[in-house]
Amino acid sequence: MNEQSPRKLTINILRYDPHVKGDKPHVDTFEIEEAPGMTLFIVLNDIREHHDASLKFDFVCRAGICGSCGMLINGRPGLACSTLTSKLPDVINLAPLPVFELIGDLSVYNGKWMRGMNERLETWIHQKEKEMRDINRIEEPMDPDLSEEIYELDRCIECGCCVAGCGTLQMNENFVGAVGLNKIARYRLDPRDEREDADYYELIGDEDGVFGCMTLLGCEDVCPKKLPLQSKIAYLRRQMVKIGLTKDIHKCDCLEHDEEY
Amino acid sequence: MRIIYTDVLVVGGGLAGLRVATGVQERGHRTIVLTLVPPKRSHSAAAQGGMQASLGNCAMGWGDNEDIHFEDTVKGSDWGADQEVVRMFVNTAPKAIRQLTQYGVPWNRVRKGKHEAIINAEKVVIEEREEAHGLITARDFGGTKKWRTCYTSDGTGHSMLYAMDNKAHEESVKIHERMEAVSIIHRHGRCYGVVARNLMTGEIIAYIAKATTIATGGYGRIYEVSTNAIICQGTGQAIALESGIATLGNMEAVQFHPTAIVPVGILTTEGCRGDGGILRDVDGYRFMPDYESEKKELASRDVVSRRMIEHIRKGKGVPSRYGDHLWLDITILGREHIEKNLREVKDICENFLGIDPAVDWIPVRPTQHYSMGGIRTKHTGESQTLKGLYACGEAACWDLHGFNRLGGNSVSETVVSGMLVAEYISDFCDSPQSHIGISTGAIEEFVRIEEEKIRRLLNNEGGEDAYVLRRAMEKIMMEKVGIFRNGKDLADAVEQLEQLHIRSKNISVFRSKSYAANPALVVAYRTQKMIKVALTVAYGALLRTESRGAHAREDYPMRDDVNWLKRTITSWPDPEQTLPTVTYEPIDIMNMELPPGWRGYGKKNIIENPDSAIQQAKIDAIRNELIKKGASRFDIQKALMPFEHLLPERYRGRNERLYERFDEPKENHE
């Protein structure tokens, strides 16, 4: 960044407060002098503290870890906290993530959407025997490579960027989104989860699930964690097709020796 | 007015809160969690480094057990910890991690055979046992004798929190999001729930429960620069304080983490140093061995932070427009290791500094990080003075960490305390003592008071600007109640904070009048609360004329075991008081399993209490006699300081390890 002559940034923010009667969506413009190392977190807080105290937006960790601050940054979903202004042009347009219920201005209720998705896909470890292993005893071993592979998919922060960047979701609000399909891929990989492909087929084997994806790749393009969303969706789709074509969907032996993506 | 009844109310949706919630729900009590943000966004997600549990699977952790974890933790606390609580904790941590494994946490695992590691800036080869292959592995952290910190790359908190939240979904725990507890409802010394404000609609709601748990994390945001998420504002401690009855413990014990990046204060995990990273000064010189010859970069956090500041004060800092800093060098770990095990660190360096930590050194400086103080509780997590109010995790002071917390013990504590406190709460709910004896009229009064406060803030014209007061408070805390403290600065800080407190009664919300989602209003009432919390920290620090753990007084450099082996207890009995009330609770050496001594790192500045030697002699005699009789380590421990009776029955069992098998494995394979 050029320290001699700081840039003047023009920040256009799409404003709307559903709690204020008669409020209409409009754009407010703020002029900010750029500072070294400035992120959109700093910009928005500066605006709130010095220009407009009513501006609504969400940050929690401000370090790219928690996924709270997803918004449209010049039309593209991303995390505002880890976006340096130096990587953006002089004019910065900010808008709330689409798809999610609006709380106000840049703040959306994506927690509600995510909770619904998690409940729908039952994103927890399913074990047939309810009784847990004795926690005083040595734990079940797991292959070190496998645990790392699971973690690779477990890194999703549910920020909603993939949902906002998804063409299918614009047309079908019931679509489970890349975030949900990634969860299924994660649990499918995990031997602790005893659900089988037939069980997953029940959850995602339709147009609201894995067959709804139009492979526009928006999700993977905007994922701040760079998760391999598209290859996982493609892989799941192949597996679900096999299950769908099998009459006896309870157990499919052919999957046992399937190539791993 | 809406009143929502439940059996158990949990305020805070991080690791501690969720673990309590699932625990009580499993015991059959309906539970509601109130949370500012979706639980998966909680600050627990930011814990990168790991969770201490003495599994002893990996080669460098071999031989680890509860006794060693106990000793490390008590020494780390600078003898401020409650040793019975430490015993409860170290015995439960292995169970907690094994349970989390079943909830789905993808812990990194031991890989049999040889692998390279960096220890003391040198490459060494470590060989892992075949029998340990696939079990949970661990990394090195400061202040521990063994490699005990279990992890998932550098996203440990994230993967634990997600597993825990998923478990809460499975247990159908009710989560009420964007709901902020603003006061505690109580009568006759008994807590009945909270008044909460819906942050989306502005609605004020009374939540009434048999038991209420505060698990809202720490109060780091009273400081100008903190590694904490911006929601860690100490409002949980504040509403307890404002009850006038509940007390806070050791609020002056505030930890600074050695390696937060400059200027934004985002953390780079202690795992960087645990994995072999080193600190360098302006000349590129590795200075820590000069100060701490034995533990070097891996002395406990308070010690490393102070040594860094000492070194900067000698003129060895790297000048920058944001003040002097030092370098964290992890380039020696190699790109492969960084991209696999320290990827969050790499992302942070790229996103916020524009550097590649595999090539460049990272600019770091000690930064506010952890709150050892919190709502003072008994070992059960229940407030000592307000019945039915519980606290756990960082929000609480059941006193596991004393005056300094070891890295890896905090996420561990969240889950362990959650497990244990859930049992005590369930027992309480099962007893007739838990009956809810408060009328709707009395509840309405609490709601009315909060509504009135909001109305006054919104209607007040020409008063104080909350942002101005808040920034002033943050600056005072940073400059005068920081890593090194002295009487003059602390006295100034208390006086100035007291003035801010008085001014804060006249805050106006003059730029945004909406009753519903209104960030200006939120800043206004939280600032009032935060200043009170800041006062408890500064005032406690002023009165404590010694140095212990993270509390370092330049004018009183000695740890004074004669006069200050006691906990600071703070309360605010009269809302008209402009300073908190401070009393003390003695810590009895004669009940300690490990009497005060030198920690094994840091300066040996101790005013010794004669009781320490007496108790040590007593313990040595018991131990020697029992060893002669061939007693096991469990028998010896029991003779020194029995604790098992304090634990909930289901968590009293011993922990199996590869070298401490319960029985011949043959039996299991049949």
Side-chain angles (χ1 to χ4, degrees), chain B residues 358-486:
Chain B
V359 180
D360 306 308
W361 297 344
I362 309 167
V364 294
R365 185 166 55 202
T367 300
Q368 193 290 333
H369 180 59
Y370 188 82
S371 314
M372 271 79 70
I375 297 165
R376 182 75 185 120
T377 73
K378 307 178 221 176
H379 73 278
T380 57
E382 189 177 31
S383 162
Q384 291 178 328
T385 46
L386 186 52
K387 198 160 182 53
L389 178 72
Y390 291 79
C392 69
E394 193 176 349
C397 175
W398 64 335
D399 219 358
L400 171 62
H401 308 301
F403 277 75
N404 175 63
R405 170 179 71 81
L406 295 182
N409 263 354
S410 79
V411 280
S412 202
E413 178 194 30
T414 59
V415 180
V416 169
S417 66
M419 284 165 82
L420 300 180
V421 171
E423 295 301 313
Y424 301 120
I425 290 177
S426 297
D427 292 345
F428 173 70
C429 288
D430 288 339
S431 78
Q433 296 177 326
S434 70
H435 292 174
I436 295 173
I438 186 169
S439 67
T440 49
I443 296 167
E444 208 159 316
E445 182 59 18
F446 278 91
V447 171
R448 198 194 57 72
I449 290 169
E450 294 309 311
E451 282 175 340
E452 181 54 30
K453 279 188 202 162
I454 302 276
R455 202 169 301 125
R456 268 185 51 198
L457 283 167
L458 288 172
N459 293 339
N460 191 19
E461 298 292 338
E464 299 278 354
D465 182 341
Y467 277 112
V468 170
L469 301 187
R470 185 167 159 189
R471 296 294 173 233
M473 168 199 70
E474 290 171 353
K475 216 168 148 58
I476 293 166
M477 293 305 290
M478 207 69 203
E479 287 172 2
K480 298 180 192 280
V481 200
I483 294 185
F484 284 106
R485 301 165 172 185
N486 65 68

Side-chain angles (χ1 to χ4, degrees), chain B residues 252-532:
Chain B
E252 69 271 34
V254 176
Q255 181 173 78
F256 284 70
H257 193 292
T259 60
I261 62 171
V262 179
V264 285
I266 296 170
L267 189 70
T268 59
T269 172
E270 185 164 324
C272 289
R273 281 170 291 132
D275 289 0
I278 56 175
L279 293 166
R280 297 182 186 276
D281 66 12
V282 64
D283 306 319
Y285 175 70
R286 184 188 178 198
F287 57 92
M288 275 308 293
D290 297 351
Y291 294 97
E292 297 294 331
S293 57
E294 196 185 332
K295 298 290 285 185
K296 306 178 180 73
E297 280 85 355
L298 288 171
S300 77
R301 287 179 177 176
D302 59 322
V303 173
V304 177
S305 290
R306 279 196 295 275
R307 297 305 200 184
M308 289 168 75
I309 297 295
E310 272 182 75
H311 202 61
I312 287 176
R313 285 180 176 178
K314 285 181 188 165
K316 292 293 181 185
V318 184
S320 84
R321 58 185 297 151
Y322 304 105
D324 290 356
H325 65 77
L326 294 159
W327 299 112
L328 171 64
D329 175 7
I330 61 170
T331 60
I332 49 177
L333 306 183
R335 182 171 298 281
E336 195 192 345
H337 180 94
I338 292 170
E339 291 186 352
K340 203 160 99 186
N341 288 321
L342 296 169
R343 188 164 36 186
E344 298 296 338
V345 172
K346 183 167 181 285
D347 285 352
I348 286 165
C349 287
E350 281 174 359
N351 291 337
F352 296 93
L353 298 168
I355 64 165
D356 175 359
V359 180
D360 306 308
W361 297 344
I362 309 167
V364 294
R365 185 166 55 202
T367 300
Q368 193 290 333
H369 180 59
Y370 188 82
S371 314
M372 271 79 70
I375 297 165
R376 182 75 185 120
T377 73
K378 307 178 221 176
H379 73 278
T380 57
E382 189 177 31
S383 162
Q384 291 178 328
T385 46
L386 186 52
K387 198 160 182 53
L389 178 72
Y390 291 79
C392 69
E394 193 176 349
C397 175
W398 64 335
D399 219 358
L400 171 62
H401 308 301
F403 277 75
N404 175 63
R405 170 179 71 81
L406 295 182
N409 263 354
S410 79
V411 280
S412 202
E413 178 194 30
T414 59
V415 180
V416 169
S417 66
M419 284 165 82
L420 300 180
V421 171
E423 295 301 313
Y424 301 120
I425 290 177
S426 297
D427 292 345
F428 173 70
C429 288
D430 288 339
S431 78
Q433 296 177 326
S434 70
H435 292 174
I436 295 173
I438 186 169
S439 67
T440 49
I443 296 167
E444 208 159 316
E445 182 59 18
F446 278 91
V447 171
R448 198 194 57 72
I449 290 169
E450 294 309 311
E451 282 175 340
E452 181 54 30
K453 279 188 202 162
I454 302 276
R455 202 169 301 125
R456 268 185 51 198
L457 283 167
L458 288 172
N459 293 339
N460 191 19
E461 298 292 338
E464 299 278 354
D465 182 341
Y467 277 112
V468 170
L469 301 187
R470 185 167 159 189
R471 296 294 173 233
M473 168 199 70
E474 290 171 353
K475 216 168 148 58
I476 293 166
M477 293 305 290
M478 207 69 203
E479 287 172 2
K480 298 180 192 280
V481 200
I483 294 185
F484 284 106
R485 301 165 172 185
N486 65 68
K488 188 190 166 299
D489 283 348
L490 288 170
D492 285 351
V494 170
E495 195 190 318
Q496 291 169 13
L497 288 168
E498 192 180 4
Q499 291 309 311
L500 289 180
H501 164 67
I502 292 165
R503 288 169 64 190
S504 74
K505 294 182 176 188
N506 182 30
I507 285 178
S508 281
V509 182
F510 49 78
R511 288 177 294 198
S512 179
K513 296 292 189 188
S514 170
Y515 185 80
N518 181 353
L521 175 62
V522 171
V523 169
Y525 64 71
R526 283 192 198 162
T527 297
Q528 293 175 328
K529 290 176 159 48
M530 290 171 82
I531 292 173
K532 284 186 196 157

